[in-house]
């Protein structure tokens, strides 16, 4: 028999992403009024946001800063015991460790560590469940809160940039117990991109090769919609509100997601995506390899990937 491709399952799911913005009020207006996230709470430096069916208090922590990009990435552990077990693995891994912190408005104590490229991760178990009040209470009891329009349903994934995707792959497999579901192998033998999951979703994090010369940069954060039509309606909403639509709506070849990419006011790239019902159920999943020739064909239905998609990340690279 072949071995299981992710034998740990210590981590339950991607919990939240901290996004940095140097245009806080404009970014907050975009994410709440235009993009359709809900504001759960706010402190001196951050707004705590979530999609209408995210059970946690926060899936996007929007933080005031003098730059843009990603502050940290949070994963929720499967249990208190799994948290301690994964911390032990990370401490023995040789990767940079920040140690424990007390958490914030959205979760309890968390353990932070860092990949070789400067992206900060944290894992936690104790979390704050969102409790809807008043008009936010959903009519259906199995829905976390009410919603309007084409608002996204839940956080889906994020994409980070690194100068060595192979080394990032080793970090994800070692520290998070992730497995690879799909990847790009370039003609020169380098891995150009990897898609990772800690559970049965097709992916919760992607890493692609940095082509803009930066460090610890964010490519995009993605929320999922119920259906493709939500994304088509969202495109009209973005157009009406003067939001920069970078590419889409269209369908990715890799992972097969229907997508739309925009830039929020500070320049961070944000995606709406619909993944359909695709799950990775096989415990011995065989990662799908895409070649450079495959990628040169463009996206699933022939749309060529535009140049900014390869070069734009946050924070921007100083010339």
């Amino acid at each position: 028999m072949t071995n299981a491709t992710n034998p740990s399952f210590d981590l339950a799911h991607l919990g939240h992403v901290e996004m940095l913005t140097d245009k806080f009020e404009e970014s907050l207006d975009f994410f709440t009024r235009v993009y359709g996230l809900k504001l759960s709470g706010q402190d001196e430096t951050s707004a705590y946001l979530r999609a209408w069916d995210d059970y946690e208090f926060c899936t996007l922590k929007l933080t005031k800063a003098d730059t843009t990009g990603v502050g940290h990435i949070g994963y929720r552990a499967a249990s208190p015991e799994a948290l301690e077990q994964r911390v032990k693995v990370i401490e023995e891994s040789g990767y940079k460790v920040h140690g424990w912190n007390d958490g914030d408005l959205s979760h309890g104590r968390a353990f932070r560590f860092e990949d070789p490229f400067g992206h900060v991760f944290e894992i936690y178990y104790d979390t704050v469940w969102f409790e809807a009040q008043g008009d936010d209470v959903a009519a259906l009891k199995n829905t976390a809160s009410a919603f309007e329009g084409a608002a996204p349903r839940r956080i889906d994934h994020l994409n980070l940039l690194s100068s060595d995707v192979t080394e990032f792959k080793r970090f994800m497999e070692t520290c998070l117990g992730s497995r690879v579901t799909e990847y790009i192998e370039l003609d020169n033998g380098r891995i150009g991109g990897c898609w990772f999951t800690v559970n049965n979703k097709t992916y919760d994090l992607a890493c692609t090769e940095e082509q803009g010369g930066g460090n610890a940069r964010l490519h995009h954060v993605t929320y999922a919609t119920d259906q493709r039509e939500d994304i088509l309606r969202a495109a009209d909403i973005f157009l009406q509100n003067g939001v920069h639509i970078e590419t889409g709506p269209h369908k990715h070849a890799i992972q097969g997601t229907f997508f739309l990419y925009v830039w929020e006011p500070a320049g961070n790239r944000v995606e709406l995506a619909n993944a359909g019902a695709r799950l990775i159920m096989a415990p011995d999943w065989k990662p799908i390899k895409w070649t450079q020739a495959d990628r040169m064909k463009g996206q699933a239905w022939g749309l060529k990937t535009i140049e900014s998609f390869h070069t734009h990340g946050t924070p921007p690279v100083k010339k």
Side-chain angles (χ1 to χ4, degrees), residues 2-319:
T2 55
N3 294 327
T5 50
N6 61 336
S8 71
F9 285 103
D10 286 335
L11 299 183
H13 59 80
L14 173 67
H16 59 267
V17 177
E18 181 183 26
M19 180 181 287
L20 306 179
T21 173
D22 55 3
K23 296 181 178 179
F24 181 79
E25 296 300 333
E26 294 95 323
S27 294
L28 181 58
D29 175 69
F30 164 81
F31 279 113
T32 53
R33 183 179 61 84
V34 181
Y35 193 73
L37 298 186
K38 292 176 171 288
L39 178 64
S40 297
Q42 201 164 340
D43 58 24
E44 295 82 3
T45 59
S46 301
Y48 296 80
L49 304 165
R50 51 180 286 283
W52 59 264
D53 206 27
D54 284 326
Y55 77 90
E56 289 187 280
F57 186 81
C58 169
T59 52
L60 183 71
K61 182 178 181 179
L62 187 67
T63 297
K64 300 175 185 177
D66 57 4
T67 186
T68 52
V70 61
H72 74 273
I73 303 104
Y75 276 78
R76 191 177 184 207
S79 67
E81 295 78 16
L83 175 60
E84 298 297 335
Q85 180 171 299
R86 188 49 41 185
V87 166
K88 185 174 186 296
V89 170
I90 295 167
E91 289 179 327
E92 295 174 353
S93 69
Y95 290 103
K96 184 176 180 179
V97 167
H98 292 226
W100 291 97
N101 64 70
D102 294 331
D104 56 25
L105 291 182
S106 66
H107 64 83
R109 72 177 193 133
F111 185 82
R112 287 196 176 183
F113 52 103
E114 192 174 307
D115 74 15
F117 311 97
H119 302 108
V120 176
F121 287 73
E122 71 177 16
I123 54 176
Y124 63 97
Y125 177 73
D126 293 325
T127 194
V128 177
W129 281 60
F130 176 77
E131 295 184 11
Q133 304 291 330
D135 292 341
D136 211 27
V137 176
L140 296 174
K141 291 185 177 181
N142 58 358
T143 301
S145 61
F147 63 94
E148 297 177 356
R153 181 167 192 151
R154 57 172 173 80
I155 191 170
D156 191 78
H157 69 273
L158 77 156
N159 185 329
L160 300 175
L161 297 170
S162 77
S163 58
D164 187 338
V165 180
T166 298
E167 179 54 32
F168 186 87
K169 173 178 177 288
R170 190 173 79 87
F171 165 82
M172 290 293 289
E173 291 172 334
T174 301
C175 293
L176 278 77
S178 296
R179 59 175 168 169
V180 174
T181 58
E182 303 192 32
Y183 68 100
I184 300 168
E185 185 176 289
L186 304 176
D187 291 347
N188 57 19
R190 294 199 315 274
I191 297 180
C194 256
W195 283 256
F196 302 91
T197 184
V198 297
N199 49 40
N200 289 326
K201 277 179 82 272
T202 51
Y203 64 114
D204 47 51
L205 189 148
C207 179
T208 48
E209 191 171 74
E210 171 67 78
Q211 297 184 33
N215 292 306
R217 295 212 298 164
L218 172 70
H219 191 272
H220 67 266
V221 175
T222 302
Y223 278 77
T225 65
D226 264 347
Q227 50 194 333
R228 292 179 182 179
E229 285 73 15
D230 293 334
I231 295 175
L232 297 178
R233 182 172 183 271
D236 286 339
I237 293 172
F238 294 143
L239 182 67
Q240 186 69 36
N241 286 275
V243 175
H244 173 60
I245 297 175
E246 183 184 29
T247 184
H250 209 267
K251 181 180 175 178
H252 280 301
I254 297 175
Q255 301 291 355
T257 48
F258 193 75
F259 68 83
L260 174 63
Y261 291 94
V262 301
W263 296 0
E264 59 86 32
N268 293 299
R269 181 187 285 110
V270 186
E271 180 188 18
L272 282 176
N274 180 260
R278 184 165 177 253
L279 296 172
I280 303 297
M281 304 302 291
D284 54 351
W285 176 258
K286 298 174 179 61
I288 295 168
K289 181 175 80 171
W290 298 81
T291 66
Q292 191 165 331
D294 291 331
R295 298 304 302 125
M296 292 300 290
K297 296 175 183 177
Q299 300 302 332
W301 300 327
L303 179 72
K304 297 300 181 183
T305 306
I306 62 174
E307 181 64 22
S308 65
F309 197 74
H310 293 299
T311 58
H312 179 79
T314 51
V317 177
K318 295 179 180 179
K319 302 299 184 180

